[in-house]
mmCIF file of all heavy atoms in Angstrom:
data_model
loop_
_atom_site.group_PDB
_atom_site.id
_atom_site.type_symbol
_atom_site.label_atom_id
_atom_site.label_comp_id
_atom_site.label_asym_id
_atom_site.label_seq_id
_atom_site.Cartn_x
_atom_site.Cartn_y
_atom_site.Cartn_z
ATOM 1 N N SER A 1 12.560 2.620 -2.637
ATOM 2 C CA SER A 1 12.729 2.435 -4.083
ATOM 3 C C SER A 1 11.987 1.204 -4.578
ATOM 4 O O SER A 1 11.326 1.240 -5.628
ATOM 5 C CB SER A 1 14.212 2.331 -4.456
ATOM 6 O OG SER A 1 14.859 3.561 -4.213
ATOM 7 N N ARG A 2 12.088 0.100 -3.838
ATOM 8 C CA ARG A 2 11.424 -1.135 -4.253
ATOM 9 C C ARG A 2 9.905 -0.964 -4.287
ATOM 10 O O ARG A 2 9.235 -1.396 -5.246
ATOM 11 C CB ARG A 2 11.812 -2.284 -3.327
ATOM 12 C CG ARG A 2 11.086 -3.596 -3.577
ATOM 13 C CD ARG A 2 11.393 -4.220 -4.934
ATOM 14 N NE ARG A 2 12.779 -4.569 -5.059
ATOM 15 C CZ ARG A 2 13.318 -5.714 -4.622
ATOM 16 N NH1 ARG A 2 12.578 -6.614 -4.017
ATOM 17 N NH2 ARG A 2 14.619 -5.940 -4.796
ATOM 18 N N LEU A 3 9.363 -0.354 -3.254
ATOM 19 C CA LEU A 3 7.909 -0.169 -3.204
ATOM 20 C C LEU A 3 7.425 0.727 -4.343
ATOM 21 O O LEU A 3 6.394 0.474 -4.954
ATOM 22 C CB LEU A 3 7.498 0.407 -1.828
ATOM 23 C CG LEU A 3 7.723 -0.550 -0.649
ATOM 24 C CD1 LEU A 3 7.500 0.178 0.667
ATOM 25 C CD2 LEU A 3 6.813 -1.773 -0.727
ATOM 26 N N ARG A 4 8.209 1.750 -4.656
ATOM 27 C CA ARG A 4 7.854 2.628 -5.789
ATOM 28 C C ARG A 4 7.894 1.829 -7.108
ATOM 29 O O ARG A 4 7.007 1.987 -7.960
ATOM 30 C CB ARG A 4 8.807 3.808 -5.867
ATOM 31 C CG ARG A 4 8.598 4.855 -4.766
ATOM 32 C CD ARG A 4 9.533 6.036 -4.977
ATOM 33 N NE ARG A 4 9.450 7.015 -3.928
ATOM 34 C CZ ARG A 4 8.542 7.982 -3.823
ATOM 35 N NH1 ARG A 4 7.570 8.054 -4.737
ATOM 36 N NH2 ARG A 4 8.562 8.839 -2.814
ATOM 37 N N GLU A 5 8.909 0.981 -7.248
ATOM 38 C CA GLU A 5 9.025 0.173 -8.483
ATOM 39 C C GLU A 5 7.807 -0.734 -8.653
ATOM 40 O O GLU A 5 7.397 -1.044 -9.775
ATOM 41 C CB GLU A 5 10.285 -0.698 -8.415
ATOM 42 C CG GLU A 5 11.595 0.046 -8.616
ATOM 43 C CD GLU A 5 12.795 -0.769 -8.167
ATOM 44 O OE1 GLU A 5 12.637 -1.994 -7.918
ATOM 45 O OE2 GLU A 5 13.901 -0.203 -8.056
ATOM 46 N N LEU A 6 7.225 -1.182 -7.544
ATOM 47 C CA LEU A 6 6.055 -2.057 -7.582
ATOM 48 C C LEU A 6 4.769 -1.310 -7.852
ATOM 49 O O LEU A 6 3.690 -1.925 -7.939
ATOM 50 C CB LEU A 6 5.953 -2.827 -6.259
ATOM 51 C CG LEU A 6 7.060 -3.852 -5.997
ATOM 52 C CD1 LEU A 6 7.036 -4.295 -4.535
ATOM 53 C CD2 LEU A 6 6.915 -5.048 -6.927
ATOM 54 N N GLY A 7 4.841 0.015 -7.970
ATOM 55 C CA GLY A 7 3.657 0.795 -8.285
ATOM 56 C C GLY A 7 2.965 1.381 -7.075
ATOM 57 O O GLY A 7 1.853 1.909 -7.180
ATOM 58 N N ALA A 8 3.603 1.295 -5.892
ATOM 59 C CA ALA A 8 3.014 1.896 -4.691
ATOM 60 C C ALA A 8 3.029 3.414 -4.814
ATOM 61 O O ALA A 8 3.919 3.990 -5.435
ATOM 62 C CB ALA A 8 3.781 1.458 -3.453
ATOM 63 N N VAL A 9 2.037 4.038 -4.210
ATOM 64 C CA VAL A 9 2.014 5.501 -4.090
ATOM 65 C C VAL A 9 2.691 5.831 -2.778
ATOM 66 O O VAL A 9 2.050 5.884 -1.722
ATOM 67 C CB VAL A 9 0.564 6.028 -4.152
ATOM 68 C CG1 VAL A 9 0.542 7.542 -4.078
ATOM 69 C CG2 VAL A 9 -0.139 5.510 -5.393
ATOM 70 N N PHE A 10 4.007 6.019 -2.846
ATOM 71 C CA PHE A 10 4.803 6.143 -1.609
ATOM 72 C C PHE A 10 4.700 7.566 -1.080
ATOM 73 O O PHE A 10 4.988 8.530 -1.755
ATOM 74 C CB PHE A 10 6.260 5.798 -1.881
ATOM 75 C CG PHE A 10 7.076 5.572 -0.627
ATOM 76 C CD1 PHE A 10 7.221 4.317 -0.095
ATOM 77 C CD2 PHE A 10 7.682 6.656 0.014
ATOM 78 C CE1 PHE A 10 7.952 4.115 1.072
ATOM 79 C CE2 PHE A 10 8.406 6.470 1.173
ATOM 80 C CZ PHE A 10 8.544 5.199 1.704
ATOM 81 N N GLN A 11 4.244 7.668 0.171
ATOM 82 C CA GLN A 11 4.085 8.970 0.840
ATOM 83 C C GLN A 11 5.104 9.046 1.979
ATOM 84 O O GLN A 11 5.124 8.169 2.829
ATOM 85 C CB GLN A 11 2.681 9.104 1.423
ATOM 86 C CG GLN A 11 1.572 8.819 0.446
ATOM 87 C CD GLN A 11 1.304 10.002 -0.457
ATOM 88 O OE1 GLN A 11 1.441 11.148 -0.052
ATOM 89 N NE2 GLN A 11 0.913 9.717 -1.690
ATOM 90 N N SER A 12 5.921 10.087 2.006
ATOM 91 C CA SER A 12 6.909 10.157 3.079
ATOM 92 C C SER A 12 6.891 11.524 3.749
ATOM 93 O O SER A 12 6.369 12.500 3.209
ATOM 94 C CB SER A 12 8.303 9.869 2.538
ATOM 95 O OG SER A 12 8.659 10.819 1.548
ATOM 96 N N ALA A 13 7.423 11.566 4.938
ATOM 97 C CA ALA A 13 7.576 12.783 5.720
ATOM 98 C C ALA A 13 9.074 13.016 5.926
ATOM 99 O O ALA A 13 9.886 12.169 5.593
ATOM 100 C CB ALA A 13 6.837 12.622 7.039
ATOM 101 N N PRO A 14 9.463 14.168 6.500
ATOM 102 C CA PRO A 14 10.874 14.391 6.781
ATOM 103 C C PRO A 14 11.473 13.284 7.658
ATOM 104 O O PRO A 14 10.749 12.626 8.423
ATOM 105 C CB PRO A 14 10.880 15.731 7.551
ATOM 106 C CG PRO A 14 9.636 16.441 7.049
ATOM 107 C CD PRO A 14 8.634 15.346 6.821
ATOM 108 N N ASN A 15 12.756 13.060 7.506
ATOM 109 C CA ASN A 15 13.455 11.989 8.227
ATOM 110 C C ASN A 15 13.100 12.006 9.720
ATOM 111 O O ASN A 15 13.101 13.058 10.348
ATOM 112 C CB ASN A 15 14.958 12.137 8.093
ATOM 113 C CG ASN A 15 15.436 11.791 6.700
ATOM 114 O OD1 ASN A 15 14.634 11.614 5.777
ATOM 115 N ND2 ASN A 15 16.751 11.709 6.537
ATOM 116 N N TRP A 16 12.807 10.821 10.227
ATOM 117 C CA TRP A 16 12.631 10.559 11.649
ATOM 118 C C TRP A 16 11.402 11.266 12.249
ATOM 119 O O TRP A 16 11.308 11.453 13.435
ATOM 120 C CB TRP A 16 13.898 10.936 12.456
ATOM 121 C CG TRP A 16 15.120 10.411 11.789
ATOM 122 C CD1 TRP A 16 16.092 11.139 11.146
ATOM 123 C CD2 TRP A 16 15.489 9.040 11.617
ATOM 124 N NE1 TRP A 16 17.042 10.301 10.617
ATOM 125 C CE2 TRP A 16 16.706 9.009 10.880
ATOM 126 C CE3 TRP A 16 14.913 7.832 12.022
ATOM 127 C CZ2 TRP A 16 17.342 7.831 10.544
ATOM 128 C CZ3 TRP A 16 15.549 6.651 11.685
ATOM 129 C CH2 TRP A 16 16.752 6.665 10.946
ATOM 130 N N SER A 17 10.457 11.631 11.396
ATOM 131 C CA SER A 17 9.214 12.209 11.914
ATOM 132 C C SER A 17 8.097 11.165 11.812
ATOM 133 O O SER A 17 8.122 10.313 10.934
ATOM 134 C CB SER A 17 8.833 13.469 11.173
ATOM 135 O OG SER A 17 8.704 13.248 9.787
ATOM 136 N N GLU A 18 7.148 11.239 12.737
ATOM 137 C CA GLU A 18 6.045 10.273 12.742
ATOM 138 C C GLU A 18 5.202 10.424 11.484
ATOM 139 O O GLU A 18 4.831 11.509 11.106
ATOM 140 C CB GLU A 18 5.177 10.519 13.975
ATOM 141 C CG GLU A 18 3.970 9.634 14.074
ATOM 142 C CD GLU A 18 3.045 10.038 15.214
ATOM 143 O OE1 GLU A 18 3.517 10.102 16.352
ATOM 144 O OE2 GLU A 18 1.845 10.306 14.921
ATOM 145 N N HIS A 19 4.932 9.287 10.833
ATOM 146 C CA HIS A 19 4.107 9.344 9.624
ATOM 147 C C HIS A 19 3.453 7.980 9.413
ATOM 148 O O HIS A 19 4.108 6.945 9.462
ATOM 149 C CB HIS A 19 4.942 9.697 8.394
ATOM 150 C CG HIS A 19 4.123 9.879 7.174
ATOM 151 N ND1 HIS A 19 3.312 10.977 6.978
ATOM 152 C CD2 HIS A 19 3.945 9.096 6.073
ATOM 153 C CE1 HIS A 19 2.675 10.866 5.808
ATOM 154 N NE2 HIS A 19 3.041 9.741 5.246
ATOM 155 N N VAL A 20 2.172 8.000 9.169
ATOM 156 C CA VAL A 20 1.390 6.779 8.945
ATOM 157 C C VAL A 20 0.526 6.955 7.703
ATOM 158 O O VAL A 20 -0.034 8.026 7.475
ATOM 159 C CB VAL A 20 0.484 6.456 10.165
ATOM 160 C CG1 VAL A 20 -0.393 5.230 9.892
ATOM 161 C CG2 VAL A 20 1.309 6.243 11.403
ATOM 162 N N GLU A 21 0.421 5.889 6.926
ATOM 163 C CA GLU A 21 -0.522 5.867 5.802
ATOM 164 C C GLU A 21 -1.496 4.706 6.026
ATOM 165 O O GLU A 21 -1.080 3.591 6.348
ATOM 166 C CB GLU A 21 0.216 5.651 4.474
ATOM 167 C CG GLU A 21 0.972 6.861 3.995
ATOM 168 C CD GLU A 21 0.102 8.038 3.636
ATOM 169 O OE1 GLU A 21 -1.030 7.825 3.168
ATOM 170 O OE2 GLU A 21 0.559 9.187 3.809
ATOM 171 N N ALA A 22 -2.782 4.996 5.876
ATOM 172 C CA ALA A 22 -3.808 3.952 5.948
ATOM 173 C C ALA A 22 -4.592 3.972 4.649
ATOM 174 O O ALA A 22 -5.251 4.975 4.336
ATOM 175 C CB ALA A 22 -4.725 4.181 7.141
ATOM 176 N N ASP A 23 -4.481 2.907 3.889
ATOM 177 C CA ASP A 23 -5.220 2.768 2.633
ATOM 178 C C ASP A 23 -6.103 1.536 2.783
ATOM 179 O O ASP A 23 -5.650 0.398 2.591
ATOM 180 C CB ASP A 23 -4.257 2.624 1.469
ATOM 181 C CG ASP A 23 -4.966 2.749 0.108
ATOM 182 O OD1 ASP A 23 -6.144 2.352 0.015
ATOM 183 O OD2 ASP A 23 -4.328 3.244 -0.852
ATOM 184 N N GLY A 24 -7.338 1.766 3.211
ATOM 185 C CA GLY A 24 -8.207 0.636 3.529
ATOM 186 C C GLY A 24 -7.647 -0.129 4.714
ATOM 187 O O GLY A 24 -7.349 0.455 5.770
ATOM 188 N N THR A 25 -7.427 -1.416 4.544
ATOM 189 C CA THR A 25 -6.905 -2.247 5.643
ATOM 190 C C THR A 25 -5.387 -2.387 5.598
ATOM 191 O O THR A 25 -4.813 -3.149 6.368
ATOM 192 C CB THR A 25 -7.526 -3.655 5.614
ATOM 193 O OG1 THR A 25 -7.280 -4.249 4.346
ATOM 194 C CG2 THR A 25 -9.045 -3.594 5.865
ATOM 195 N N LEU A 26 -4.717 -1.643 4.704
ATOM 196 C CA LEU A 26 -3.259 -1.638 4.629
ATOM 197 C C LEU A 26 -2.746 -0.400 5.382
ATOM 198 O O LEU A 26 -3.021 0.733 4.983
ATOM 199 C CB LEU A 26 -2.808 -1.610 3.175
ATOM 200 C CG LEU A 26 -1.297 -1.631 2.928
ATOM 201 C CD1 LEU A 26 -0.666 -2.897 3.458
ATOM 202 C CD2 LEU A 26 -0.987 -1.450 1.443
ATOM 203 N N ILE A 27 -2.011 -0.657 6.465
ATOM 204 C CA ILE A 27 -1.534 0.429 7.339
ATOM 205 C C ILE A 27 -0.016 0.330 7.438
ATOM 206 O O ILE A 27 0.517 -0.693 7.844
ATOM 207 C CB ILE A 27 -2.154 0.320 8.734
ATOM 208 C CG1 ILE A 27 -3.683 0.270 8.656
ATOM 209 C CG2 ILE A 27 -1.708 1.478 9.620
ATOM 210 C CD1 ILE A 27 -4.342 -0.134 9.949
ATOM 211 N N THR A 28 0.676 1.427 7.091
ATOM 212 C CA THR A 28 2.131 1.397 7.100
ATOM 213 C C THR A 28 2.670 2.665 7.770
ATOM 214 O O THR A 28 2.104 3.746 7.618
ATOM 215 C CB THR A 28 2.702 1.265 5.682
ATOM 216 O OG1 THR A 28 2.016 2.158 4.798
ATOM 217 C CG2 THR A 28 2.568 -0.162 5.152
ATOM 218 N N GLY A 29 3.794 2.506 8.489
ATOM 219 C CA GLY A 29 4.427 3.618 9.176
ATOM 220 C C GLY A 29 5.883 3.733 8.784
ATOM 221 O O GLY A 29 6.528 2.758 8.410
ATOM 222 N N GLN A 30 6.418 4.943 8.889
ATOM 223 C CA GLN A 30 7.707 5.264 8.279
ATOM 224 C C GLN A 30 8.921 4.786 9.065
ATOM 225 O O GLN A 30 9.931 4.392 8.475
ATOM 226 C CB GLN A 30 7.802 6.781 8.066
ATOM 227 C CG GLN A 30 9.056 7.243 7.351
ATOM 228 C CD GLN A 30 8.952 8.678 6.877
ATOM 229 O OE1 GLN A 30 7.907 9.073 6.380
ATOM 230 N NE2 GLN A 30 10.012 9.444 7.009
ATOM 231 N N ASN A 31 8.899 4.842 10.381
ATOM 232 C CA ASN A 31 10.106 4.667 11.189
ATOM 233 C C ASN A 31 9.732 4.317 12.620
ATOM 234 O O ASN A 31 8.541 4.227 12.936
ATOM 235 C CB ASN A 31 10.918 5.971 11.132
ATOM 236 C CG ASN A 31 10.028 7.180 11.336
ATOM 237 O OD1 ASN A 31 9.079 7.135 12.119
ATOM 238 N ND2 ASN A 31 10.292 8.262 10.618
ATOM 239 N N PRO A 32 10.715 4.118 13.495
ATOM 240 C CA PRO A 32 10.370 3.755 14.881
ATOM 241 C C PRO A 32 9.438 4.768 15.551
ATOM 242 O O PRO A 32 8.604 4.401 16.378
ATOM 243 C CB PRO A 32 11.726 3.690 15.589
ATOM 244 C CG PRO A 32 12.706 3.398 14.502
ATOM 245 C CD PRO A 32 12.188 4.077 13.268
ATOM 246 N N GLN A 33 9.571 6.039 15.173
ATOM 247 C CA GLN A 33 8.741 7.083 15.764
ATOM 248 C C GLN A 33 7.263 6.923 15.400
ATOM 249 O O GLN A 33 6.406 7.576 16.025
ATOM 250 C CB GLN A 33 9.229 8.454 15.288
ATOM 251 C CG GLN A 33 10.578 8.887 15.827
ATOM 252 C CD GLN A 33 11.778 8.225 15.187
ATOM 253 O OE1 GLN A 33 11.642 7.524 14.183
ATOM 254 N NE2 GLN A 33 12.944 8.421 15.749
ATOM 255 N N SER A 34 6.969 6.082 14.434
ATOM 256 C CA SER A 34 5.596 5.924 13.941
ATOM 257 C C SER A 34 4.865 4.705 14.506
ATOM 258 O O SER A 34 3.694 4.480 14.189
ATOM 259 C CB SER A 34 5.623 5.817 12.395
ATOM 260 O OG SER A 34 6.352 6.893 11.846
ATOM 261 N N THR A 35 5.539 3.942 15.355
ATOM 262 C CA THR A 35 4.973 2.650 15.809
ATOM 263 C C THR A 35 3.656 2.813 16.557
ATOM 264 O O THR A 35 2.684 2.114 16.279
ATOM 265 C CB THR A 35 5.985 1.901 16.690
ATOM 266 O OG1 THR A 35 7.207 1.738 15.992
ATOM 267 C CG2 THR A 35 5.446 0.538 17.080
ATOM 268 N N VAL A 36 3.631 3.708 17.529
ATOM 269 C CA VAL A 36 2.416 3.864 18.320
ATOM 270 C C VAL A 36 1.255 4.332 17.436
ATOM 271 O O VAL A 36 0.133 3.828 17.560
ATOM 272 C CB VAL A 36 2.645 4.847 19.503
ATOM 273 C CG1 VAL A 36 1.328 5.155 20.195
ATOM 274 C CG2 VAL A 36 3.646 4.247 20.490
ATOM 275 N N ALA A 37 1.545 5.256 16.526
ATOM 276 C CA ALA A 37 0.490 5.749 15.639
ATOM 277 C C ALA A 37 -0.062 4.635 14.748
ATOM 278 O O ALA A 37 -1.284 4.552 14.508
ATOM 279 C CB ALA A 37 1.021 6.896 14.800
ATOM 280 N N VAL A 38 0.811 3.761 14.234
ATOM 281 C CA VAL A 38 0.351 2.632 13.430
ATOM 282 C C VAL A 38 -0.529 1.703 14.282
ATOM 283 O O VAL A 38 -1.597 1.260 13.880
ATOM 284 C CB VAL A 38 1.540 1.848 12.823
ATOM 285 C CG1 VAL A 38 1.055 0.571 12.141
ATOM 286 C CG2 VAL A 38 2.287 2.719 11.821
ATOM 287 N N SER A 39 -0.063 1.421 15.498
ATOM 288 C CA SER A 39 -0.805 0.535 16.403
ATOM 289 C C SER A 39 -2.186 1.080 16.684
ATOM 290 O O SER A 39 -3.181 0.355 16.697
ATOM 291 C CB SER A 39 -0.042 0.352 17.714
ATOM 292 O OG SER A 39 1.278 -0.055 17.485
ATOM 293 N N LYS A 40 -2.257 2.399 16.926
ATOM 294 C CA LYS A 40 -3.541 3.029 17.234
ATOM 295 C C LYS A 40 -4.486 2.987 16.018
ATOM 296 O O LYS A 40 -5.706 2.859 16.174
ATOM 297 C CB LYS A 40 -3.329 4.475 17.702
ATOM 298 C CG LYS A 40 -2.736 4.561 19.107
ATOM 299 C CD LYS A 40 -2.590 5.993 19.552
ATOM 300 C CE LYS A 40 -1.942 6.101 20.921
ATOM 301 N NZ LYS A 40 -2.730 5.450 21.990
#
């Protein structure tokens, strides 16, 4: 909710599924299941 309020384009996947967003040099992952994908 906070990120959306700040004007972020928040992209999500179903609960507890791996999900990563890369927008230029900003890389964010959804949950613990996404850590390796963010690192890669």
Side-chain angles (χ1 to χ4, degrees):
S1 293
R2 174 65 63 84
L3 293 171
R4 287 184 184 278
E5 286 164 12
L6 292 167
V9 182
F10 194 92
Q11 308 281 327
S12 61
N15 288 10
W16 314 110
S17 57
E18 178 187 303
H19 186 72
V20 177
E21 287 294 328
D23 191 327
T25 57
L26 181 62
I27 305 167
T28 45
Q30 185 166 319
N31 45 36
Q33 290 77 8
S34 308
T35 304
V36 172
V38 172
S39 307
K40 288 183 183 298

